[in-house]
Structures are given as structure tokens and as C-alpha cells.
């Protein structure tokens, strides 16, 4: 890195900031650009951004330091991240990662001495239906095997450009296993917009109201109500934001919609824009789906050529709307809309307080509709076919269908579209799951169901879900699952509030203590107590749900913990002070009695 001098760095930052019209709201995108050019974000680049954009240096450094895909030291020419999702753990990810580390002679997280390669862990990258998977310079490689890693190691050692790697390495399958109204027959491009213009915006909003469509990200707020609130808020500008930051472990339905149904998603955003009176929209694309960036940009360009985006859409002089893609940089918390908006404005993704809600003060404090990918895709279909057919499906409080991302111990992982009200047992039968011990619904922050609960229904009034369904059979160690989730939340806590920042670490340590056979009954009591503190005292939904998996498994699977406890002990310290002193003894050469506890 010594070859990059200060002048080069400053010139690079000048060019990048100029290309983004010196808009501080684009800071995250500009940091991406610097990292692509230099492999990391040097201190001098932070200084240059602060100077050119007239921002406090601490502000820029804070943003760069917040996102896990940004680095303040050089990475390897080939920057590899293994997905650390529990499903991929069970598929053999740890063994494969160790194999590649040894083959390339690399330590985790450290660039090799020649600067050729870095290998690290990252959270779920949305490929658990075709894992183990990893990212190489941001691009996804799926279905890893030892033979594939042998070939990858060879390509790295010969410095073969990524563009010359076998294309099949980067293929991502849709894995659609069960279709219904959303994934069924394709919709003619522009049809939803044409029908809306013919029907009128009030009547279209009425159809969405009639359909009973609720936000599909998990919270389930009524879509028509949200759009109406935004439209009725007095303002000179409004915005549409599509939340494509599906970071919940085990979720990948948005990946499929963006890969094969992107027109439908953009169609729904455009319908929303017309109804609420917005001229600008954003697709917040999670950094793990970077491989979709170029194809999505191509879809947007095509829609502009077709007159479906841009000025005077379909020749209507009063209808202008366009969509920008904002690439996230690795922050699970940004899946929450109030953190996402902060990130979209070029800030750290720390969730805002609410109220006010985004529909009155969202992006740049303007009224903003934030819906997820699935919601916009469904809204486009409802705009065409009306609300009655959609409302006829599902349950009293949960209308229509739901996409489920199914992974784990089953014969047919992939995407399943079922009407709301389907039972967990029916889902398990459809995907070929057998001898199932537990089902984790809605990701690490969701609900862990035991076999006694498999007749419960997927619906907002029973088992609500954003879409993740992870299946574990009776041969699996559920404490391994709990351990993986506990580590995940420590990594993903934004650190803003003490209950979450400290509580997740305390829980991780206690889980680790039990897992390694040093836990006592008192430790389980502490885990319950700390879980309750997180739930009631954390600032945002991340902290409030970060202990759900522990609370659920303590209640429904107590034997998982009890069989690991030191039964005869009232207390077992988690920290072995005498062992920790061994390094000091070696350095000082002391072996006398007083050097031991």
C-alpha cells in the first residue's frame, strides 16, 4: 500500500465526490468506490472526504467504520467471505473454510503476505438453499465442495481475473418449488401502470385496501394505510423506498424476486409513486447481493427506454418517477426501516427514534413509503387484477400468499409460495422434511417451534414471519444453533444502546460456557434474566428480539441445556485466571509457588 501516495488518494476522492455531485447522502456509495479502487479506505481518504464534503472527520470515519464490508487496512487481491449461517455450518462450511485456509496458507481475516488473498467470515449471504456459499470480491459462489475449492485455489495462485473464472461458479439458482399468484404467470411489463392510469389512483389505492395486503417484511402494517398516510401528509416531495436488505439468516426470497421478477418489483414501486405523488425512489440492495447490481441497473435502463420510468411516464406529462439503487455495505440492522433511512442518507445505520414515522418524516425528513420487495411485487399484481382475488386467499387477518425461504434438513429447499394459513406441518411435508426436531421461523430473531407446534398456522395472527424457515432434524444439536445465533447478534448489534451492546455479549459468553460444558443452573437463570432485559430495554427491534432464540429454546428444549451442565456445581467461573497467567509466567520465567493461584 506504500505505493499509493497521498496525492493519488486525494485525487481519487476528488473524482469520486465530483461524480456524485458532492452529495453527502451518497457517502456510503462513495466509500464503496474508494474501496474498489484502493482495496480499502485509507485514513487519508477519510481526511479528503471530510475536507471536500465539508463534514466532520469523525462523521466520515464513523460511517466508514460502521459497515462490516468497509476496511481500514488493505485486503487481498481476492477478498473471500464464507457465509457463516447456521444452515451452511451444518452443510460443512467450517471444514471447507479450514481446507481453503490451509491450502492457501492464510489466517482468518489477515491478508497473505504477498497480498494475494484474504479469507474471512460474514453473516448469512442469502444462499442457504444452495450452500455452502461464499463471496469473492463481492460476487457469489455457491454449492462449494472441496473439488471446487481446489480449482478456486488454483485460479487464485495463477492470479486469474474473476471475469475468467468458470461462469458456472457464479450461477445462483432460483430454486422455486411452489408457485401461486405472485410467482405464477408473468405480468406484461408496464401493465400495472397502464391499468392504474386507466383506473385512477384513488381507485387503485382502494383495490389495495380491499386486498388486505400487509407489509411482507414481518411487521405486517397495512400497505394501503401506509400509502394513504404518506400521500395525505403535506409536503413538497415524497419518496418510495424498496427495502431489499433481507439480512435475516435463512431468508432469500427477495434474491429470487430481484433476480427473476425485478420488473414486477419496479412496477409496484412506480404504482406506489403515482399514488403518493413521489418522483424519486430507491432500491436499498444489501451488499451481499452485489452480483445483482448490474442486472438490476440494466432492468432500470430498459424501463426508461420503454417509457416506464423517467420523465412523462407512458406519455403522461404529470407523471415522472425514477429509481436509484443504493448498495448496502454489510449491516444487518439496516433491514429495519429506520436504520435503512439513515444509511440511505449516507450515515451510520443507527435506528432513529419513532415517532415520527417515515410516512411523515422519512428520507430527508420527507414523507416516505418503505416497503419490502415482496410487498411491492404483490402490489403490482393487485393493481392489475384488483383486490378481491387476493383477499379471497389466506385467513381473516392475513390475506393473500406468503413466500417462504426454506432451508435446512429437507429434501427440497427453496422458495415456496403458500396462501397464509398454511400449517407448519403442511410446509414440512411439501419440502420433504422428516424427523424434524425444530423449525426456526423468521430467522434468528424469530420463533423456534417444537414438534408440538407444527399444526400452528403461518399467519400474522399466529406464526408471523418475514419468510425464513430453517429446519433442524433430531440429529442436530440445537445448542449449536443457539450458539451460532448468539455470535451473530454480537456481531450485528450496532452498539448504540447498552442493553443490546452488552447484553448480546453476555448472552454469547453464557451460551459458550454451557456449550463447552462449564455451565451451571445459575447460568441458565442469568440467561433468562438478561434475555428479558434485552427484550424490554433495547432501543430497537434488533435488541428486543436478539434473545428470542435463547428464551424459546430454554422453554421448549430445556434438555438441550441440561445435558451440558455441571450438575454438581453451584458456580463455575467462565474465566480461567490461572490459565490466563500462563503467558505471563512464560515471559517472566517464573515457576515459583507464588506465580500460581
Amino acid at each position: 500500500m506504500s505505493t499509493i501516495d497521498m496525492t493519488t488518494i486525494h485525487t481519487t476522492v476528488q473524482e469520486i465526490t465530483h461524480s456524485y455531485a458532492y452529495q453527502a447522502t451518497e457517502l456510503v456509495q462513495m466509500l464503496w468506490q474508494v474501496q474498489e479502487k484502493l482495496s480499502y479506505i485509507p485514513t487519508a481518504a477519510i481526511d479528503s472526504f471530510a475536507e471536500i464534503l465539508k463534514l466532520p472527520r469523525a462523521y466520515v470515519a464513523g460511517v466508514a467504520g460502521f459497515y462490516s464490508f468497509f476496511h481500514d487496512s488493505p485486503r487481498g487481491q481476492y477478498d473471500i467471505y464464507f457465509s457463516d449461517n447456521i444452515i451452511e455450518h451444518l452443510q460443512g462450511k467450517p471444514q471447507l473454510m479450514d481446507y481453503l485456509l490451509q491450502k492457501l496458507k492464510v489466517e482468518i481475516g489477515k491478508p497473505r503476505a504477498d497480498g494475494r488473498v484474504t479469507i474471512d467470515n460474514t453473516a448469512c449471504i442469502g444462499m442457504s438453499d444452495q450452500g455452502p456459499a461464499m463471496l469473492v470480491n463481492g460476487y457469489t459462489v455457491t454449492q462449494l465442495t472441496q473439488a471446487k475449492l481446489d480449482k478456486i485455489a488454483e485460479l487464485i495462485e495463477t492470479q486469474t481475473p474473476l471475469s475468467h473464472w468458470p461462469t458456472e461458479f457464479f450461477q445462483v439458482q432460483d430454486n422455486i418449488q411452489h408457485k401461486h399468484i405472485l410467482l405464477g404467470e408473468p405480468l406484461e411489463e408496464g401493465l400495472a401502470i397502464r391499468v392504474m392510469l386507466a383506473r385512477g389512483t384513488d381507485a387503485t389505492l382502494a383495490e389495495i385496501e380491499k386486498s388486505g395486503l400487509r407489509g411482507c417484511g414481518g411487521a405486517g402494517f397495512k400497505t394501503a394505510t401506509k400509502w394513504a398516510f404518506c400521500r395525505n401528509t403535506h409536503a413538497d416531495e415524497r419518496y418510495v423506498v424498496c427495502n431489499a436488505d433481507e439480512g435475516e439468516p435463512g431468508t432469500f426470497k427477495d434474491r429470487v424476486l430481484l433476480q427473476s421478477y425485478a420488473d414486477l418489483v419496479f412496477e409496484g414501486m412506480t404504482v406506489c409513486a403515482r399514488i403518493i405523488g413521489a418522483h424519486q425512489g430507491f432500491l436499498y440492495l444489501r451488499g451481499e447481493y452485489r452480483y445483482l447490481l448490474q442486472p438490476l441497473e440494466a432492468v432500470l435502463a430498459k424501463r426508461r427506454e420503454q417509457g416506464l420510468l423517467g420523465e412523462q411516464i407512458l406519455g403522461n406529462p404529470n407523471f415522472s418517477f425514477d429509481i436509484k439503487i443504493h448498495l448496502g455495505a454489510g449491516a444487518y440492522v439496516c433491514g429495519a426501516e429506520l436504520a435503512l433511512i439513515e444509511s440511505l442518507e449516507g450515515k451510520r445505520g443507527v435506528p432513529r427514534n419513532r415517532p415520527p414515522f417515515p410516512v411523515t418524516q422519512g428520507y430527508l425528513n420527507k414523507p416516505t413509503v418503505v416497503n419490502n420487495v415482496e410487498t411491492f411485487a404483490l402490489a403490482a399484481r393487485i393493481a392489475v387484477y384488483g383486490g378481491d382475488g387476493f383477499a379471497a386467499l389466506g385467513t381473516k387477518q392475513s390475506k393473500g400468499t406468503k413466500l417462504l425461504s426454506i432451508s435446512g434438513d429437507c429434501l427440497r429447499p427453496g422458495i415456496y409460495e403458500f396462501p397464509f394459513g398454511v400449517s407448519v406441518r403442511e410446509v414440512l411435508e411439501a419440502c420433504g422434511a422428516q424427523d424434524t426436531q425444530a423449525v426456526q421461523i423468521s430467522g434468528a430473531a424469530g420463533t423456534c417451534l417444537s414438534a408440538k407446534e407444527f399444526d400452528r398456522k403461518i399467519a400474522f395472527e399466529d406464526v408471523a414471519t418475514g419468510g425464513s424457515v430453517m429446519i433442524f432434524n433430531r440429529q442436530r444439536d440445537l445448542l449449536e444453533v443457539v450458539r451460532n445465533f448468539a455470535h451473530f447478534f454480537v456481531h450485528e448489534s450496532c452498539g448504540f444502546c447498552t442493553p443490546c451492546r452488552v447484553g448480546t455479549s453476555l448472552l454469547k459468553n453464557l451460551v459458550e460456557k454451557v456449550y463447552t460444558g462449564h455451565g451451571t443452573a445459575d447460568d441458565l437463570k442469568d440467561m433468562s434474566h438478561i434475555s428479558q432485559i434485552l427484550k424490554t430495554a433495547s432501543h430497537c427491534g434488533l435488541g428486543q428480539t436478539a434473545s428470542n432464540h435463547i428464551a424459546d429454546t430454554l422453554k421448549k428444549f430445556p434438555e438441550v441445556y441440561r445435558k451440558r451442565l455441571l450438575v454438581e456445581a453451584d458456580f463455575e467461573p467462565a474465566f480461567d485466571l490461572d490459565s490466563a497467567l500462563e503467558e505471563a509466567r512464560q515471559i517472566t520465567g517464573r515457576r515459583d509457588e507464588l506465580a500460581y493461584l
Side-chain angles (χ1 to χ4, degrees):
M1 195 53 223
S2 57
T3 56
I4 304 177
D5 58 36
M6 299 279 285
T7 302
T8 301
I9 292 171
H10 192 71
T11 301
T12 300
V13 173
Q14 275 186 322
E15 292 171 353
I16 291 171
T17 50
H18 178 73
S19 70
Y20 282 93
Y22 306 101
Q23 296 295 312
T25 53
E26 302 286 356
L27 180 57
V28 174
Q29 307 308 292
M30 291 188 269
L31 290 169
W32 264 124
Q33 295 291 318
V34 167
Q35 184 159 288
E36 282 188 7
K37 291 178 182 295
L38 307 177
S39 101
Y40 75 112
I41 302 170
T43 299
I46 300 289
D47 296 337
S48 295
F49 274 120
E51 177 188 336
I52 295 170
L53 297 176
K54 303 187 186 316
L55 294 171
R57 188 191 181 284
Y59 177 97
V60 179
V63 173
F66 182 82
Y67 298 92
S68 62
F69 284 164
F70 290 154
H71 305 290
D72 60 3
S73 59
R75 304 288 287 182
Q77 178 186 349
Y78 298 91
D79 197 13
I80 294 174
Y81 286 94
F82 276 81
S83 179
D84 201 31
N85 178 20
I86 182 61
I87 297 299
E88 281 150 298
H89 256 260
L90 301 180
Q91 292 168 340
K93 171 262 172 182
Q95 295 77 14
L96 289 170
M97 184 175 181
D98 286 344
Y99 179 76
L100 190 62
L101 285 165
Q102 291 176 26
K103 193 167 187 67
L104 291 171
K105 297 181 173 52
V106 185
E107 291 183 57
I108 292 179
K110 296 181 179 177
R112 206 168 71 176
D114 61 0
R116 184 76 53 83
V117 58
T118 309
I119 299 176
D120 215 332
N121 283 302
T122 190
C124 178
I125 62 172
M127 301 289 160
S128 49
D129 60 325
Q130 48 203 293
M134 65 183 188
L135 302 173
V136 183
N137 293 354
Y139 291 88
T140 305
V141 181
T142 61
Q143 297 179 333
L144 295 175
T145 61
Q146 192 166 310
K148 188 175 280 188
L149 293 181
D150 284 338
K151 181 62 179 173
I152 288 171
E154 180 185 327
L155 293 166
I156 289 172
E157 295 295 12
T158 54
Q159 298 193 63
T160 305
L162 222 57
S163 57
H164 293 175
W165 286 26
T167 54
E168 61 267 25
F169 280 17
F170 303 102
Q171 287 181 352
V172 177
Q173 305 295 329
D174 279 350
N175 270 340
I176 297 174
Q177 304 286 352
H178 192 271
K179 295 181 178 181
H180 209 286
I181 56 172
L182 177 58
L183 303 179
E185 293 298 314
L187 200 65
E188 175 189 329
E189 291 168 17
L191 182 59
I193 301 172
R194 292 187 179 91
V195 172
M196 173 193 62
L197 290 173
R199 182 190 284 135
T201 53
D202 287 348
T204 302
L205 185 60
E207 291 297 329
I208 292 173
E209 171 71 32
K210 191 192 302 181
S211 74
L213 176 64
R214 298 171 66 167
C216 299
F221 195 80
K222 286 188 175 180
T223 303
T225 304
K226 178 182 282 191
W227 291 14
F229 275 140
C230 187
R231 184 180 69 169
N232 296 335
T233 300
H234 180 72
D236 57 355
E237 185 59 281
R238 298 177 183 82
Y239 295 96
V240 178
V241 176
C242 180
N243 182 350
D245 194 37
E246 60 169 358
E248 201 62 68
T251 307
F252 46 85
K253 64 184 177 61
D254 290 353
R255 178 201 84 207
V256 175
L257 288 173
L258 293 171
Q259 183 161 288
S260 299
Y261 297 81
D263 270 299
L264 196 61
V265 177
F266 294 141
E267 195 101 347
M269 292 178 68
T270 309
V271 168
C272 175
R274 180 63 171 175
I275 289 174
I276 69 170
H279 302 291
Q280 182 63 59
F282 298 94
L283 176 75
Y284 190 103
L285 181 66
R286 69 184 304 224
E288 290 82 351
Y289 290 167
R290 190 177 181 181
Y291 79 99
L292 289 171
L293 180 59
Q294 193 172 356
L296 288 170
E297 291 284 11
V299 173
L300 291 176
K302 177 197 67 177
R303 293 183 69 82
R304 291 184 191 107
E305 291 175 2
Q306 294 173 330
L308 301 175
L309 279 178
E311 300 293 326
Q312 300 187 18
I313 291 174
L314 292 176
N316 191 315
N318 300 316
F319 188 12
S320 299
F321 177 69
D322 212 333
I323 296 171
K324 279 185 184 178
I325 299 176
H326 176 104
L327 186 64
Y332 165 75
V333 71
C334 289
E337 64 178 9
L338 294 169
L340 181 150
I341 290 171
E342 288 287 291
S343 180
L344 203 56
E345 293 180 354
K347 303 172 184 173
R348 295 159 53 92
V350 176
R352 297 178 179 177
N353 289 321
R354 60 181 176 188
F357 293 91
V359 288
T360 58
Q361 292 183 47
Y363 179 68
L364 302 179
N365 290 325
K366 301 292 185 182
T368 303
V369 163
V370 182
N371 278 131
N372 81 342
V373 174
E374 186 179 354
T375 309
F376 280 123
L378 284 167
R381 287 217 171 257
I382 293 167
V384 173
Y385 299 112
D388 286 336
F390 189 84
L393 298 168
T395 68
K396 185 176 181 181
Q397 298 177 40
S398 309
K399 303 297 185 185
T401 63
K402 184 77 192 82
L403 295 186
L404 301 178
S405 311
I406 297 181
S407 62
D409 293 318
C410 63
L411 296 176
R412 295 175 292 277
I415 296 296
Y416 291 73
E417 183 183 10
F418 288 112
F420 274 112
V422 65
S423 71
V424 174
R425 191 178 304 282
E426 289 171 308
V427 171
L428 293 174
E429 288 172 0
C431 68
Q434 296 179 345
D435 196 26
T436 303
Q437 175 184 195
V439 179
Q440 183 73 25
I441 302 281
S442 209
T447 305
C448 185
L449 301 179
S450 70
K452 295 177 182 176
E453 301 172 280
F454 289 170
D455 288 322
R456 293 181 64 182
K457 309 293 186 186
I458 302 293
F460 290 107
E461 61 267 41
D462 191 357
V463 181
T465 176
S468 170
V469 177
M470 293 188 280
I471 300 168
F472 304 102
N473 66 27
R474 294 186 188 279
Q475 284 68 57
R476 301 301 186 186
D477 179 0
L478 283 187
L479 199 54
E480 180 70 35
V481 178
V482 171
R483 184 185 184 216
N484 179 273
F485 290 168
H487 281 260
F488 168 77
F489 282 114
V490 171
H491 182 263
E492 298 299 341
S493 173
C494 78
F496 175 75
C497 73
T498 302
C500 181
R501 182 180 66 252
V502 177
T504 52
S505 289
L506 291 174
L507 284 175
K508 183 208 70 171
N509 293 341
L510 285 167
V511 169
E512 200 66 34
K513 187 179 176 186
V514 174
Y515 183 82
T516 55
H518 295 282
T520 66
D522 282 345
D523 291 318
L524 301 190
K525 292 177 184 175
D526 285 347
M527 288 164 72
S528 294
H529 179 61
I530 295 168
S531 295
Q532 188 61 26
I533 291 174
L534 258 77
K535 193 177 186 67
T536 56
S538 294
H539 172 68
C540 76
L542 189 156
Q544 292 159 13
T545 57
S547 61
N548 282 355
H549 63 290
I550 292 175
D552 272 351
T553 49
L554 279 171
K555 179 180 177 182
K556 301 173 186 177
F557 302 93
E559 70 281 0
V560 168
Y561 295 87
R562 286 179 190 149
K563 68 183 181 183
R564 298 288 246 283
L565 296 183
L566 287 170
V567 179
E568 69 280 7
D570 292 330
F571 174 73
E572 169 81 5
F575 181 68
D576 186 346
L577 181 57
D578 190 62
S579 295
L581 289 172
E582 179 57 27
E583 184 180 358
R585 285 193 288 265
Q586 290 182 7
I587 293 172
T588 60
R590 286 189 58 179
R591 293 294 174 189
D592 57 279
E593 184 179 345
L594 292 177
Y596 293 86
L597 294 180

